[in-house]
């Protein structure tokens, strides 16, 4: 399980982020998110606004973005919410980074299906490149986090990097992806298994074969 710590409040943090405000683009998105909810329910937009704030911080720092405490306070004020309520949301969901991250946030799934399919080797591949859990690498490119199941078990092992998932990984395939990202390229997302499109069976079907051509009812055979 990933350890999560809030970046401590400090005069330096206040000096850098105390004046945070949405740019006009993010402000328009924030207002549109709030407008999706009935009058008086603007707080329901808190997850969207935290995400927008994190993305703006990412743009300003050329990283994947994170949520300094003054930025969380800004969102709370924007929505007229107690700060602790916004903190509760920000600290609960793994999608919010509570401390600075690198340009690429590499989240390796270590839950059982991914573990059985080689996530230890995937983690070792990341560590070989100078990534350490919870830290920004010396070159500022990477932050490594181990996460729980990301819902891609059928194409395990997998990692999420920023907004994209990379699945059916081997150490070699992950190296190709990380090299491409470091060069500023956009590698193929999703499954990395040649010939596989999503999570359809690899090779020939081995069960439920009667379902290929029709909606076969198996119940009589049970
Ligand atoms: S166990 Fe890794 S995606 Fe489900």
């Amino acid at each position: 399980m990933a350890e999560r710590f809030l970046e401590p409040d400090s005069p330096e943090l206040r000096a850098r982020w105390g004046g945070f405000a949405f740019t006009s683009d993010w402000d328009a998105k924030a207002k549109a998110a709030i407008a999706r909810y009935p009058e008086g329910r603007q707080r329901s937009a808190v997850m969207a606004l935290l995400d927008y704030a994190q993305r703006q911080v990412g743009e300003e720092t050329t990283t994947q973005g994170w949520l300094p405490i003054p930025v969380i306070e800004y969102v709370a004020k924007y929505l007229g919410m107690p700060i602790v309520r916004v903190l509760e949301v920000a600290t609960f969901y793994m999608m919010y980074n509570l401390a600075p991250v690198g340009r690429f946030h590499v989240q390796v799934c270590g839950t059982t299906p991914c573990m059985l399919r080689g996530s230890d080797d995937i983690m070792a591949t990341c560590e070989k490149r100078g990534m350490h859990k919870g830290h920004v690498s010396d070159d500022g490119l990477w932050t490594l986090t181990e996460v729980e199941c990301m819902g891609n078990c059928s194409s395990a092992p997998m990692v999420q990097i920023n907004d994209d998932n990379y699945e059916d990984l081997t150490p070699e395939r992950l190296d190709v992806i990380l090299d491409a990202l470091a060069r500023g390229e956009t590698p193929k997302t999703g499954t990395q298994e040649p010939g596989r499109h999503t999570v359809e069976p690899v090779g020939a079907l081995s069960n439920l074969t009667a379902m290929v051509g029709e909606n076969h009812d198996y119940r009589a055979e049970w």
Side-chain angles (χ1 to χ4, degrees):
M1 185 64 200
E3 295 172 346
R4 282 165 67 72
F5 300 104
L6 268 178
E7 180 76 359
D9 206 354
S10 67
E12 294 75 26
L13 198 74
R14 294 269 154 200
R16 174 63 183 86
W17 295 109
F20 178 88
F22 281 135
T23 61
S24 55
D25 282 355
W26 287 115
D27 193 59
K29 286 189 170 73
K31 288 191 166 64
I34 291 168
R36 290 187 202 119
Y37 299 98
E39 187 60 34
R41 299 284 180 180
Q42 76 277 8
R43 296 176 178 192
S44 300
V46 64
M47 288 193 68
L49 264 66
L50 283 171
D51 180 55
Y52 299 160
Q54 177 165 283
R55 288 175 189 277
Q56 184 176 319
V57 169
E59 288 173 357
E60 293 182 22
T61 55
T62 324
T63 69
Q64 207 239 342
W66 65 291
L67 290 170
I69 288 175
V71 174
I72 293 173
E73 291 171 349
Y74 172 81
V75 170
K77 196 166 173 202
Y78 198 102
L79 291 171
M81 291 175 72
I83 293 160
V84 69
R85 292 283 177 232
V86 182
L87 259 178
E88 285 170 354
V89 175
T91 54
F92 182 80
Y93 292 100
M94 290 291 292
M95 62 188 274
Y96 303 117
N97 302 318
L98 304 178
V101 293
R103 188 176 339 149
F104 301 107
H105 188 189
V106 182
Q107 301 185 74
V108 178
C109 174
T111 304
T112 311
C114 280
M115 189 266 286
L116 292 173
R117 296 268 298 163
S119 65
D120 287 352
D121 295 336
I122 297 302
M123 187 62 82
T125 301
C126 295
E127 288 167 345
K128 246 185 257 164
R129 304 175 72 105
M131 300 186 207
H132 301 289
K133 284 186 201 172
H135 295 280
V136 180
S137 60
D138 292 342
D139 57 10
L141 277 185
W142 317 103
T143 292
L144 177 62
T145 301
E146 181 176 348
V147 293
E148 301 299 327
C149 179
M150 306 278 266
N152 284 123
C153 319
S154 299
S155 46
M158 62 80 65
V159 304
Q160 179 178 331
I161 305 178
N162 294 2
D163 289 332
D164 292 311
N165 288 356
Y166 302 88
E167 306 149 31
D168 283 318
L169 290 174
T170 62
E172 296 74 24
R173 291 172 184 175
L174 180 58
D175 266 333
V176 169
I177 291 164
L178 296 175
D179 284 342
L181 289 171
R183 287 193 300 266
E185 297 167 5
T186 307
K188 174 189 180 297
T189 58
T191 178
Q192 306 297 309
E193 180 71 28
R196 200 179 194 195
H197 300 290
T198 56
V199 290
E200 76 276 19
V202 176
L205 276 184
S206 60
N207 57 15
L208 301 181
T209 50
M211 294 287 280
V212 171
E214 59 176 3
N215 190 18
H216 182 76
D217 188 346
Y218 279 97
R219 284 175 294 183
E221 299 165 36
W222 292 347

